[in-house]
Amino acid sequence: MTGNRNFSTENGNGARNGTGIRNGTGTRDGTGTRDGIFSTGAGFHPLLYYVVLPVTLLFAAVAWSPPFFHSSILEWHESWQRMLFSRVCHQQLDRTFAVQGIPLAVCSRCIGIYSVLPVALVIFSFFSTVLNIAKSYIVTLFVLASLIVIVDGAANLFQLWQSSDLIRVLTGVFWGLATALLLVIALTTHRVS
Amino acid sequence: MEPVESKSYWNASAKAGVVFGFVVFLISTIGSYITIHSEPTGNLLSGTILASGLGCLVAIFGGVLAVKFYINEYGPEMKIGQGAVIGLLAGVVMAVVSQILGLIWPVIDGAFIENLQAALITNIEISEQIPAAQKEDMIDAIYAQFQNYYSVGNILQGFLMGVVTYGLLNVLSGLLAAKFMGRNPQPEL
């Protein structure tokens, strides 16, 4: 026994990768289930189910909830939902979607992010194997999405141009999708079975 | 028998939390002064765009810095769950530090609360986004909010909101940092 024997180095084609890390292409995961190209996600890190998904769902639910609880802008202004996001979102009324006159808890860009994140996490988890192959592209995509949000936000701030709510929500959705991709590859490849 | 090295998350989390708690407070305070010194536009939260936009961007890096400190201290071998916990703790510290500084600053600048309150109320008065019937109520609410600035309830509420927001956001950034900056420990056989 050398103490550093790899016991899980086989990939789906029977070749050894020598890293000791399963690549998920047709190999068994730590729970004894099998990941295929269209992974069922059964081998995901428990953090996805017990932390990341609940957290993103919580943020999405709270962000959408004010119109279901409050009947005036005054109530909205005093609401815990608005206060919860007040540290991380400007919540400007002219840049926030409203339902029957009551604004959501976050601006249009943030509602795009928070809405798409839990949905994308669930959907992308079915394609974790494919996504892991494209890992480097996903990191690039995340950087690109972040740059778009930063540039558009800064341009709006310094009044170089004013984006419509549609553009803001689309940039938010794009960033949310890129973040979900990043989280999915983080929660699938960092495992040694 | 060699003593087992205890790897505490607190050192890294506390350092990163203090740094980012200060930065977040700084950005928030600058945003408030922009609101105070800007011409009223009728926009309810003018001046806080910079604060909240930058604040959000900066706040999520607390978990990243905390993981970096942890790696510097104990080496890169860590699980992503550890990164998540380190991020959570950094977020909690960040909330505490920014909350405390937010309570101290109005003591240093005695006119801060009064000026900010006046700027916000002026903005509400000329706002076109708020129905006229609700303006008086909102002004009363803002007035009451600043009157209760140092109440225990207000402080606890601010702290709780900060812990939830910063804590949970940094759980995500911490685990991502652990994934991309750390290395999964190899099993001992």
Side-chain angles (χ1 to χ4, degrees), chain A residues 3 5 7 19 45 47 51-52 55-56 58-59 72-74 76-78 80 83-84 86-95 114 135 139 150 157 182-183 185-187 189-192, chain B residues 43-46 48-50 52 56 78 80-81 98-99 129-131 134 137-138 141-142 145 157-158 161-162 164-166 168-169 171-172 175-176 178-180 183-184 186-187 189:
Chain A
R5 186 183 64 168
F7 62 96
T19 61
H45 198 289
L47 270 175
V51 178
V52 175
V55 165
T56 54
L58 173 79
F59 277 145
S72 70
I73 293 181
L74 173 64
W76 171 85
H77 183 71
E78 292 179 323
W80 63 271
M83 288 180 194
L84 187 71
S86 64
R87 292 161 190 265
V88 290
C89 177
H90 55 71
Q91 302 169 312
Q92 289 209 114
L93 292 177
D94 60 337
R95 297 183 186 183
Y114 292 122
K135 190 173 158 184
V139 175
I150 290 168
L157 176 66
L182 209 59
L183 284 167
I185 61 170
L187 291 163
T189 58
H190 199 83
R191 299 175 63 249
V192 177
Chain B
N43 202 322
L44 187 59
L45 295 166
S46 63
T48 56
I49 308 173
L50 176 72
S52 51
C56 174
M78 65 188 306
I80 54 172
S98 59
Q99 181 78 10
Q129 299 156 15
I130 303 168
Q134 293 185 25
D137 288 340
M138 281 201 74
I142 286 186
Q145 181 187 331
Q157 187 184 49
M161 297 295 178
V164 173
T165 313
Y166 293 145
L168 294 184
L169 285 178
V171 162
L172 303 183
L175 74 85
L176 283 175
K179 158 72 185 171
F180 290 101
R183 197 173 62 224
N184 206 21
Q186 297 295 308
L189 299 174

Coordinates of all heavy atoms in Angstrom, one line a residue, chain A residues 3 5 7 19 45 47 51-52 55-56 58-59 72-74 76-78 80 83-84 86-95 114 135 139 150 157 182-183 185-187 189-192, chain B residues 43-46 48-50 52 56 78 80-81 98-99 129-131 134 137-138 141-142 145 157-158 161-162 164-166 168-169 171-172 175-176 178-180 183-184 186-187 189:
Chain A
G3 N -0.4 4.3 -0.1 CA -1.2 5.4 0.5 C -1.7 6.4 -0.4 O -2.5 7.3 0.0
R5 N -3.0 5.4 -3.6 CA -3.6 4.6 -4.7 C -4.9 5.2 -5.1 O -5.8 5.6 -4.3 CB -3.9 3.2 -4.2 CG -4.4 2.2 -5.3 CD -4.7 0.9 -4.7 NE -5.9 1.0 -3.8 CZ -6.5 -0.1 -3.3 NH1 -6.1 -1.3 -3.7 NH2 -7.5 0.1 -2.5
F7 N -8.4 4.8 -6.6 CA -9.4 3.7 -6.8 C -10.6 4.1 -7.6 O -11.5 3.3 -7.8 CB -9.8 3.2 -5.4 CG -10.5 4.2 -4.6 CD1 -11.9 4.3 -4.6 CD2 -9.8 5.1 -3.9 CE1 -12.5 5.2 -3.8 CE2 -10.4 6.1 -3.1 CZ -11.8 6.1 -3.1
T19 N -6.3 11.1 -12.2 CA -6.5 12.2 -11.2 C -7.2 11.7 -9.9 O -7.2 12.4 -8.9 CB -7.3 13.3 -11.8 OG1 -8.6 12.8 -12.1 CG2 -6.7 13.9 -13.0
H45 N -23.5 17.2 -5.2 CA -23.2 17.6 -3.8 C -24.4 17.9 -3.0 O -25.3 18.6 -3.6 CB -22.2 18.8 -3.9 CG -21.4 18.9 -2.6 ND1 -22.0 19.3 -1.4 CD2 -20.1 18.7 -2.3 CE1 -21.1 19.4 -0.5 NE2 -19.9 19.0 -1.0
L47 N -24.9 20.0 -1.0 CA -25.1 21.5 -0.9 C -26.1 22.0 -1.9 O -26.8 23.0 -1.6 CB -23.8 22.2 -1.1 CG -22.8 22.4 0.1 CD1 -21.5 23.0 -0.4 CD2 -23.5 23.4 1.1
V51 N -28.8 23.6 0.4 CA -28.4 25.0 0.7 C -28.7 25.8 -0.6 O -29.5 26.8 -0.5 CB -26.9 25.1 1.0 CG1 -26.5 26.5 1.2 CG2 -26.6 24.3 2.3
V52 N -28.0 25.5 -1.7 CA -28.0 26.4 -2.8 C -29.4 26.6 -3.4 O -29.9 27.7 -3.5 CB -27.0 26.0 -3.9 CG1 -27.2 26.9 -5.1 CG2 -25.6 26.0 -3.4
V55 N -31.8 28.4 -0.9 CA -31.4 29.8 -0.8 C -31.9 30.6 -2.0 O -32.6 31.7 -1.9 CB -29.9 30.0 -0.7 CG1 -29.5 31.4 -0.9 CG2 -29.4 29.6 0.7
T56 N -31.7 30.1 -3.2 CA -32.1 30.8 -4.4 C -33.6 30.8 -4.5 O -34.2 31.8 -4.9 CB -31.5 30.1 -5.7 OG1 -31.9 28.7 -5.7 CG2 -30.0 30.3 -5.7
L58 N -35.7 30.9 -1.9 CA -36.1 31.8 -0.9 C -36.0 33.2 -1.5 O -36.9 34.0 -1.3 CB -35.2 31.7 0.3 CG -35.4 32.7 1.4 CD1 -36.7 32.4 2.2 CD2 -34.3 32.8 2.4
F59 N -34.8 33.6 -2.1 CA -34.6 34.9 -2.6 C -35.6 35.2 -3.7 O -36.2 36.3 -3.7 CB -33.2 35.0 -3.2 CG -32.1 35.4 -2.1 CD1 -30.9 34.8 -2.2 CD2 -32.4 36.2 -1.1 CE1 -29.9 35.1 -1.3 CE2 -31.5 36.5 -0.1 CZ -30.2 35.9 -0.2
S72 N -50.3 49.0 -0.6 CA -49.9 50.4 -0.9 C -48.4 50.5 -0.9 O -47.7 49.7 -0.4 CB -50.5 51.4 0.2 OG -49.8 51.2 1.4
I73 N -47.9 51.6 -1.6 CA -46.5 51.8 -1.7 C -45.9 52.0 -0.3 O -44.8 51.7 0.0 CB -46.2 52.9 -2.6 CG1 -46.5 52.5 -4.0 CG2 -44.7 53.3 -2.6 CD1 -46.3 53.6 -5.1
L74 N -46.7 52.7 0.6 CA -46.3 52.9 2.0 C -46.0 51.5 2.7 O -44.9 51.4 3.3 CB -47.3 53.7 2.7 CG -47.1 53.8 4.2 CD1 -45.8 54.6 4.5 CD2 -48.3 54.4 4.9
W76 N -45.3 48.8 1.2 CA -44.2 48.2 0.5 C -42.9 48.8 1.1 O -41.9 48.1 1.4 CB -44.3 48.5 -1.0 CG -43.0 48.2 -1.7 CD1 -42.7 47.0 -2.2 CD2 -41.9 49.1 -2.1 NE1 -41.5 47.0 -2.9 CE2 -41.0 48.3 -2.8 CE3 -41.7 50.4 -1.9 CZ2 -39.8 48.8 -3.3 CZ3 -40.5 51.0 -2.4 CH2 -39.6 50.2 -3.1
H77 N -42.9 50.1 1.3 CA -41.7 50.8 1.8 C -41.3 50.3 3.2 O -40.1 50.3 3.5 CB -42.0 52.3 1.8 CG -40.7 53.1 2.2 ND1 -39.7 53.3 1.4 CD2 -40.5 53.8 3.4 CE1 -38.7 54.0 2.1 NE2 -39.2 54.3 3.2
E78 N -42.3 50.0 4.0 CA -42.0 49.5 5.3 C -41.8 48.0 5.4 O -41.6 47.5 6.5 CB -43.2 49.9 6.3 CG -43.2 51.5 6.4 CD -44.4 51.9 7.3 OE1 -45.4 51.2 7.3 OE2 -44.2 52.8 8.1
W80 N -40.7 44.1 5.2 CA -39.4 43.4 5.5 C -38.8 42.9 4.2 O -37.6 42.8 4.1 CB -39.6 42.2 6.5 CG -40.5 41.1 6.0 CD1 -41.9 41.1 6.1 CD2 -40.2 40.0 5.2 NE1 -42.4 39.9 5.5 CE2 -41.3 39.2 5.0 CE3 -39.0 39.4 4.8 CZ2 -41.4 38.0 4.3 CZ3 -39.0 38.2 4.0 CH2 -40.2 37.6 3.8
M83 N -36.8 45.7 2.9 CA -35.6 45.9 3.8 C -34.6 44.8 3.5 O -33.4 45.1 3.6 CB -36.0 45.9 5.2 CG -36.8 47.2 5.6 SD -37.3 47.1 7.3 CE -38.4 48.5 7.4
L84 N -35.0 43.6 3.3 CA -34.1 42.5 3.1 C -33.2 42.7 1.9 O -32.0 42.4 2.0 CB -34.9 41.2 2.9 CG -34.0 39.9 2.9 CD1 -33.5 39.6 4.2 CD2 -34.8 38.7 2.4
S86 N -32.6 45.7 0.6 CA -32.2 47.1 0.4 C -30.7 47.3 0.4 O -30.2 48.3 0.0 CB -32.8 48.0 1.6 OG -32.3 47.5 2.8
R87 N -30.0 46.3 1.0 CA -28.5 46.4 1.0 C -27.9 46.0 -0.3 O -26.7 46.3 -0.6 CB -27.9 45.5 2.1 CG -28.3 46.0 3.5 CD -28.1 44.9 4.5 NE -28.7 45.2 5.8 CZ -28.0 45.7 6.8 NH1 -26.7 45.9 6.6 NH2 -28.5 46.1 7.9
V88 N -28.6 45.3 -1.1 CA -28.0 44.8 -2.4 C -28.8 45.2 -3.6 O -28.4 44.7 -4.7 CB -27.9 43.2 -2.3 CG1 -26.8 42.8 -1.3 CG2 -29.2 42.6 -2.0
C89 N -29.8 46.0 -3.5 CA -30.5 46.5 -4.7 C -31.0 47.9 -4.5 O -31.5 48.2 -3.4 CB -31.7 45.5 -5.0 SG -32.7 46.0 -6.4
H90 N -31.0 48.7 -5.5 CA -31.4 50.1 -5.3 C -32.9 50.2 -5.2 O -33.4 51.2 -4.6 CB -30.9 51.0 -6.4 CG -31.3 50.5 -7.8 ND1 -32.6 50.6 -8.3 CD2 -30.5 50.0 -8.8 CE1 -32.6 50.1 -9.5 NE2 -31.4 49.7 -9.8
Q91 N -33.7 49.3 -5.7 CA -35.1 49.3 -5.5 C -35.8 50.5 -6.0 O -36.8 50.9 -5.4 CB -35.5 49.0 -4.1 CG -34.9 47.7 -3.6 CD -35.0 47.5 -2.1 OE1 -34.7 48.4 -1.3 NE2 -35.4 46.3 -1.6
Q92 N -35.2 51.2 -7.0 CA -35.9 52.4 -7.5 C -37.2 52.1 -8.1 O -37.3 51.2 -8.9 CB -34.9 53.1 -8.5 CG -33.7 53.7 -7.8 CD -33.3 54.9 -8.6 OE1 -33.3 56.0 -8.1 NE2 -32.8 54.7 -9.8
L93 N -38.2 52.9 -7.8 CA -39.5 52.6 -8.2 C -39.7 52.7 -9.7 O -40.4 51.9 -10.3 CB -40.5 53.6 -7.6 CG -40.7 53.5 -6.1 CD1 -41.7 54.5 -5.6 CD2 -41.2 52.1 -5.7
D94 N -38.9 53.6 -10.4 CA -39.0 53.7 -11.8 C -38.2 52.6 -12.6 O -38.3 52.5 -13.8 CB -38.5 55.1 -12.3 CG -37.1 55.3 -12.0 OD1 -36.6 54.7 -11.0 OD2 -36.4 56.2 -12.6
R95 N -37.5 51.8 -11.8 CA -36.8 50.7 -12.4 C -37.2 49.3 -11.8 O -36.4 48.4 -11.8 CB -35.3 50.9 -12.2 CG -34.7 52.1 -12.9 CD -33.3 52.2 -12.8 NE -32.8 53.5 -13.3 CZ -31.5 53.8 -13.4 NH1 -30.6 53.0 -13.0 NH2 -31.2 55.0 -13.9
Y114 N -32.8 36.7 -9.8 CA -33.4 35.9 -8.8 C -34.4 34.9 -9.3 O -34.6 33.8 -8.8 CB -34.0 36.7 -7.7 CG -33.0 37.5 -6.9 CD1 -33.0 38.9 -6.7 CD2 -31.9 36.9 -6.2 CE1 -32.1 39.6 -6.0 CE2 -31.0 37.5 -5.5 CZ -31.1 38.9 -5.4 OH -30.1 39.6 -4.7
K135 N -16.5 23.4 -19.3 CA -16.2 24.2 -18.1 C -15.5 25.5 -18.4 O -15.9 26.6 -17.9 CB -15.3 23.3 -17.2 CG -15.1 23.9 -15.8 CD -14.4 22.8 -15.0 CE -13.7 23.4 -13.8 NZ -12.9 22.4 -13.1
V139 N -16.9 29.5 -17.6 CA -16.2 30.5 -16.8 C -16.1 31.8 -17.7 O -16.4 32.9 -17.2 CB -14.8 30.0 -16.4 CG1 -14.0 31.2 -15.7 CG2 -14.9 28.9 -15.4
I150 N -22.1 44.9 -15.5 CA -21.4 46.1 -15.0 C -21.4 47.3 -15.9 O -21.6 48.4 -15.5 CB -19.9 45.6 -14.6 CG1 -19.9 44.7 -13.5 CG2 -19.0 46.8 -14.3 CD1 -18.6 44.0 -13.2
L157 N -25.9 54.5 -14.7 CA -25.5 55.3 -13.5 C -24.9 56.7 -13.9 O -25.3 57.7 -13.4 CB -24.5 54.6 -12.6 CG -24.0 55.3 -11.4 CD1 -25.1 55.6 -10.4 CD2 -22.9 54.5 -10.7
L182 N -22.2 28.1 -13.5 CA -21.0 28.1 -12.6 C -21.3 27.2 -11.4 O -20.5 26.4 -11.0 CB -20.7 29.5 -12.3 CG -19.2 29.8 -12.0 CD1 -18.4 29.5 -13.2 CD2 -19.0 31.3 -11.6
L183 N -22.5 27.4 -10.8 CA -22.8 26.7 -9.6 C -23.0 25.2 -9.8 O -22.5 24.4 -9.0 CB -24.1 27.2 -8.9 CG -23.9 28.6 -8.2 CD1 -25.3 29.2 -7.9 CD2 -23.2 28.4 -6.9
I185 N -21.5 23.4 -12.2 CA -20.2 22.7 -12.4 C -19.4 22.7 -11.1 O -18.6 21.8 -10.8 CB -19.3 23.3 -13.5 CG1 -19.0 24.8 -13.3 CG2 -19.9 23.1 -14.9 CD1 -17.9 25.3 -14.3
A186 N -19.6 23.7 -10.2 CA -18.9 23.7 -8.9 C -19.4 22.6 -8.0 O -18.7 22.0 -7.3 CB -19.2 25.1 -8.2
L187 N -20.7 22.3 -8.2 CA -21.3 21.3 -7.3 C -21.3 19.9 -7.9 O -21.9 19.0 -7.4 CB -22.8 21.7 -7.0 CG -22.9 22.9 -6.1 CD1 -24.2 23.5 -6.2 CD2 -22.5 22.6 -4.7
T189 N -18.2 18.7 -10.0 CA -16.9 18.2 -10.4 C -15.9 18.2 -9.2 O -14.9 17.6 -9.2 CB -16.2 19.0 -11.4 OG1 -16.1 20.4 -11.0 CG2 -16.9 19.0 -12.7
H190 N -16.3 18.8 -8.1 CA -15.4 19.0 -6.9 C -15.6 17.8 -6.0 O -15.7 17.9 -4.8 CB -15.7 20.3 -6.2 CG -14.6 20.7 -5.3 ND1 -13.5 21.4 -5.8 CD2 -14.3 20.5 -4.0 CE1 -12.7 21.7 -4.8 NE2 -13.2 21.1 -3.7
R191 N -15.7 16.6 -6.5 CA -16.0 15.5 -5.7 C -15.0 14.3 -6.0 O -14.7 14.0 -7.1 CB -17.4 14.9 -5.9 CG -18.5 16.0 -5.6 CD -19.8 15.4 -6.0 NE -20.2 14.3 -5.2 CZ -20.3 13.1 -5.7 NH1 -20.0 12.8 -7.0 NH2 -20.6 12.1 -5.0
V192 N -14.5 13.8 -4.9 CA -13.7 12.6 -5.1 C -14.5 11.4 -4.4 O -14.8 11.5 -3.2 CB -12.4 12.7 -4.3 CG1 -11.6 11.4 -4.4 CG2 -11.6 13.9 -4.9
Chain B
N43 N -36.8 61.2 -7.3 CA -36.5 59.8 -7.2 C -36.3 59.4 -5.8 O -35.5 59.9 -5.1 CB -35.3 59.5 -8.0 CG -35.3 58.1 -8.5 OD1 -35.7 57.2 -7.7 ND2 -34.8 57.8 -9.7
L44 N -37.1 58.4 -5.4 CA -37.2 58.1 -4.0 C -35.8 57.7 -3.4 O -35.5 58.1 -2.2 CB -38.1 56.9 -3.8 CG -38.4 56.5 -2.3 CD1 -39.0 57.6 -1.6 CD2 -39.3 55.3 -2.3
L45 N -35.0 57.0 -4.1 CA -33.8 56.6 -3.6 C -32.6 57.1 -4.4 O -31.6 56.4 -4.5 CB -33.8 55.0 -3.5 CG -34.8 54.5 -2.6 CD1 -35.0 53.0 -2.8 CD2 -34.4 54.7 -1.1
S46 N -32.6 58.3 -4.9 CA -31.5 58.8 -5.7 C -30.3 58.8 -4.9 O -30.3 59.1 -3.7 CB -31.8 60.2 -6.2 OG -32.0 61.0 -5.1
T48 N -28.5 56.3 -4.0 CA -28.2 55.0 -3.5 C -28.0 54.0 -4.6 O -27.7 52.8 -4.3 CB -29.4 54.5 -2.6 OG1 -30.6 54.5 -3.3 CG2 -29.5 55.3 -1.3
I49 N -28.2 54.4 -5.8 CA -27.9 53.5 -6.9 C -26.5 53.0 -6.9 O -26.2 51.8 -6.9 CB -28.1 54.2 -8.3 CG1 -29.5 54.8 -8.4 CG2 -28.0 53.2 -9.4 CD1 -29.7 55.6 -9.6
L50 N -25.6 54.0 -6.7 CA -24.2 53.7 -6.6 C -23.9 52.8 -5.4 O -23.2 51.8 -5.5 CB -23.4 55.0 -6.4 CG -21.9 54.8 -6.2 CD1 -21.2 54.4 -7.5 CD2 -21.2 56.1 -5.7
S52 N -26.0 50.8 -3.6 CA -26.5 49.4 -3.6 C -25.9 48.6 -4.7 O -25.6 47.4 -4.6 CB -28.0 49.5 -3.7 OG -28.4 50.3 -4.8
C56 N -23.7 45.6 -3.6 CA -24.0 44.2 -3.9 C -22.8 43.5 -4.6 O -22.4 42.4 -4.2 CB -25.2 44.2 -4.9 SG -25.5 42.6 -5.6
M78 N -9.4 21.9 0.6 CA -10.7 22.2 1.3 C -11.9 21.7 0.4 O -11.8 21.6 -0.8 CB -10.8 23.7 1.5 CG -11.0 24.5 0.3 SD -10.9 26.3 0.7 CE -12.2 26.5 1.9
I80 N -15.9 22.1 -0.8 CA -16.7 23.3 -1.1 C -17.7 23.6 0.0 O -18.0 24.8 0.2 CB -17.5 23.2 -2.4 CG1 -18.3 21.9 -2.5 CG2 -16.6 23.3 -3.6 CD1 -19.2 21.9 -3.7
G81 N -18.0 22.6 0.8 CA -18.9 22.9 2.0 C -18.2 23.8 3.0 O -18.8 24.6 3.6
S98 N -20.7 46.3 9.5 CA -21.4 47.4 8.8 C -22.5 48.0 9.7 O -22.7 49.2 9.7 CB -21.9 47.0 7.5 OG -22.8 46.0 7.6
Q99 N -23.1 47.2 10.5 CA -24.2 47.7 11.3 C -23.6 48.6 12.4 O -24.1 49.6 12.7 CB -24.9 46.5 12.0 CG -26.1 46.8 12.9 CD -27.3 47.2 12.1 OE1 -27.4 47.0 10.9 NE2 -28.3 47.8 12.8
Q129 N -43.7 59.3 -8.8 CA -44.0 57.9 -8.8 C -44.9 57.5 -7.7 O -45.4 56.4 -7.7 CB -42.6 57.1 -8.6 CG -41.6 57.4 -9.8 CD -40.2 57.2 -9.3 OE1 -40.0 56.6 -8.3 NE2 -39.3 57.7 -10.1
I130 N -45.1 58.4 -6.7 CA -45.9 58.0 -5.5 C -47.2 58.8 -5.6 O -47.2 60.0 -5.8 CB -45.1 58.4 -4.2 CG1 -43.8 57.7 -4.2 CG2 -46.0 58.0 -3.0 CD1 -42.9 58.2 -3.1
P131 N -48.3 58.1 -5.5 CA -49.6 58.8 -5.5 C -49.7 59.8 -4.4 O -49.2 59.6 -3.3 CB -50.6 57.6 -5.2 CG -49.9 56.4 -5.6 CD -48.5 56.6 -5.3
Q134 N -50.6 59.1 -0.9 CA -49.7 58.3 0.0 C -48.4 59.0 0.4 O -47.7 58.5 1.2 CB -49.3 57.0 -0.8 CG -50.4 56.0 -1.0 CD -50.0 54.7 -1.7 OE1 -48.8 54.4 -1.6 NE2 -50.9 54.1 -2.4
D137 N -48.2 59.9 4.2 CA -48.0 58.7 5.0 C -46.5 58.2 4.9 O -45.9 57.8 5.9 CB -48.9 57.5 4.5 CG -50.3 57.7 4.9 OD1 -50.6 58.5 5.8 OD2 -51.2 57.1 4.2
M138 N -46.0 58.3 3.7 CA -44.6 57.9 3.5 C -43.6 58.8 4.2 O -42.6 58.4 4.8 CB -44.2 57.8 2.0 CG -44.8 56.6 1.3 SD -43.9 56.2 -0.2 CE -42.3 55.6 0.5
A141 N -43.7 57.9 7.7 CA -43.0 56.6 7.9 C -41.5 56.8 7.9 O -40.8 56.3 8.8 CB -43.3 55.6 6.8
I142 N -41.0 57.7 7.0 CA -39.5 57.9 7.0 C -39.1 58.7 8.2 O -38.1 58.4 8.8 CB -39.2 58.7 5.7 CG1 -39.2 57.8 4.5 CG2 -37.8 59.4 5.8 CD1 -38.8 58.3 3.2
Q145 N -39.0 56.3 11.0 CA -37.9 55.4 10.8 C -36.6 56.0 11.3 O -35.8 55.4 12.0 CB -37.7 55.1 9.3 CG -36.6 54.2 8.9 CD -36.4 54.1 7.4 OE1 -37.4 54.3 6.6 NE2 -35.2 53.9 6.9
Q157 N -33.3 44.5 13.8 CA -33.9 44.2 12.4 C -32.8 44.4 11.4 O -32.7 43.6 10.5 CB -35.0 45.2 12.2 CG -35.8 44.9 10.9 CD -36.9 46.0 10.7 OE1 -36.6 47.2 10.8 NE2 -38.1 45.5 10.4
G158 N -32.0 45.5 11.5 CA -31.0 45.7 10.5 C -29.9 44.7 10.6 O -29.5 44.2 9.5
M161 N -31.4 41.4 8.9 CA -31.5 41.6 7.5 C -30.1 41.4 6.9 O -29.9 40.8 5.8 CB -32.1 42.9 7.1 CG -33.5 43.1 7.5 SD -34.7 41.9 6.7 CE -36.2 42.4 7.5
G162 N -29.1 42.0 7.5 CA -27.8 42.0 7.0 C -27.2 40.6 7.0 O -26.6 40.1 6.1
V164 N -28.9 37.8 7.0 CA -29.6 36.9 6.0 C -29.0 37.2 4.6 O -28.6 36.3 3.8 CB -31.1 37.1 6.0 CG1 -31.8 36.4 4.8 CG2 -31.7 36.6 7.3
T165 N -29.0 38.5 4.2 CA -28.6 38.9 2.9 C -27.1 38.6 2.6 O -26.8 37.9 1.7 CB -28.8 40.4 2.6 OG1 -30.2 40.7 3.1 CG2 -28.7 40.7 1.2
Y166 N -26.3 39.2 3.5 CA -24.8 39.0 3.3 C -24.4 37.5 3.5 O -23.6 37.0 2.8 CB -24.0 39.9 4.2 CG -24.1 41.4 3.9 CD1 -24.1 42.3 4.9 CD2 -24.3 41.8 2.6 CE1 -24.3 43.7 4.6 CE2 -24.4 43.2 2.3 CZ -24.4 44.1 3.3 OH -24.5 45.4 3.0
L168 N -26.2 34.7 3.2 CA -26.6 33.7 2.2 C -25.9 34.0 0.8 O -25.5 33.1 0.1 CB -28.1 33.8 2.0 CG -28.9 33.2 3.2 CD1 -30.4 33.2 2.9 CD2 -28.4 31.9 3.6
L169 N -25.7 35.3 0.5 CA -25.0 35.6 -0.8 C -23.5 35.1 -0.7 O -23.0 34.6 -1.7 CB -25.0 37.1 -1.1 CG -26.3 37.7 -1.6 CD1 -26.2 39.2 -1.8 CD2 -26.7 37.0 -2.9
V171 N -22.5 32.6 1.1 CA -22.5 31.1 1.1 C -22.2 30.7 -0.4 O -21.3 29.8 -0.7 CB -23.9 30.5 1.5 CG1 -24.0 29.1 1.0 CG2 -24.0 30.6 3.0
L172 N -22.9 31.4 -1.3 CA -22.7 31.0 -2.7 C -21.3 31.4 -3.2 O -20.6 30.6 -3.9 CB -23.8 31.7 -3.6 CG -25.3 31.4 -3.2 CD1 -26.2 32.2 -4.2 CD2 -25.5 30.0 -3.2
L175 N -18.6 29.0 -1.7 CA -18.5 27.7 -2.2 C -17.9 27.8 -3.6 O -17.1 26.9 -4.0 CB -19.8 26.9 -2.2 CG -21.0 27.2 -3.1 CD1 -20.8 26.5 -4.4 CD2 -22.2 26.8 -2.5
L176 N -18.2 28.8 -4.4 CA -17.6 29.0 -5.7 C -16.1 29.2 -5.6 O -15.3 28.7 -6.3 CB -18.2 30.1 -6.5 CG -19.6 29.8 -7.1 CD1 -20.2 31.1 -7.7 CD2 -19.5 28.7 -8.1
A178 N -14.2 28.2 -3.1 CA -13.5 27.0 -2.7 C -13.4 26.1 -3.9 O -12.4 25.4 -4.0 CB -14.4 26.3 -1.7
K179 N -14.3 26.1 -4.8 CA -14.2 25.3 -6.0 C -13.1 25.7 -6.9 O -12.3 24.9 -7.4 CB -15.6 25.3 -6.7 CG -15.5 25.0 -8.2 CD -15.3 23.5 -8.4 CE -15.2 23.2 -9.9 NZ -14.7 21.8 -10.1
F180 N -13.0 27.0 -7.1 CA -12.0 27.5 -8.1 C -10.7 27.9 -7.6 O -9.7 27.9 -8.3 CB -12.6 28.7 -8.9 CG -13.8 28.3 -9.8 CD1 -15.1 28.5 -9.4 CD2 -13.5 27.6 -11.0 CE1 -16.1 28.1 -10.2 CE2 -14.6 27.2 -11.8 CZ -15.9 27.4 -11.4
R183 N -8.5 23.1 -3.5 CA -8.3 21.8 -4.1 C -9.0 20.7 -3.2 O -8.8 20.8 -2.0 CB -6.8 21.5 -4.2 CG -6.4 20.4 -5.1 CD -4.9 20.3 -5.3 NE -4.2 19.9 -4.1 CZ -3.1 20.5 -3.7 NH1 -2.6 21.5 -4.4 NH2 -2.6 20.2 -2.5
N184 N -9.7 19.8 -3.8 CA -10.4 18.8 -3.0 C -9.4 17.9 -2.3 O -8.5 17.4 -2.9 CB -11.3 18.0 -3.9 CG -12.5 17.4 -3.2 OD1 -12.9 17.9 -2.1 ND2 -13.1 16.4 -3.7
Q186 N -7.5 14.8 -1.0 CA -7.5 13.4 -1.5 C -7.8 12.5 -0.3 O -7.3 12.7 0.8 CB -6.1 13.0 -2.0 CG -5.7 13.9 -3.2 CD -6.6 13.6 -4.4 OE1 -6.8 12.4 -4.8 NE2 -7.2 14.6 -5.0
P187 N -8.5 11.4 -0.5 CA -8.8 10.5 0.6 C -7.6 9.7 1.1 O -6.8 9.3 0.2 CB -9.9 9.5 0.0 CG -9.6 9.6 -1.5 CD -9.1 10.9 -1.8
L189 N -5.8 6.5 2.4 CA -6.1 5.1 2.3 C -5.2 4.3 3.2 O -4.1 4.7 3.5 CB -5.9 4.6 0.9 CG -6.9 5.3 -0.2 CD1 -6.5 4.8 -1.6 CD2 -8.3 4.9 0.1

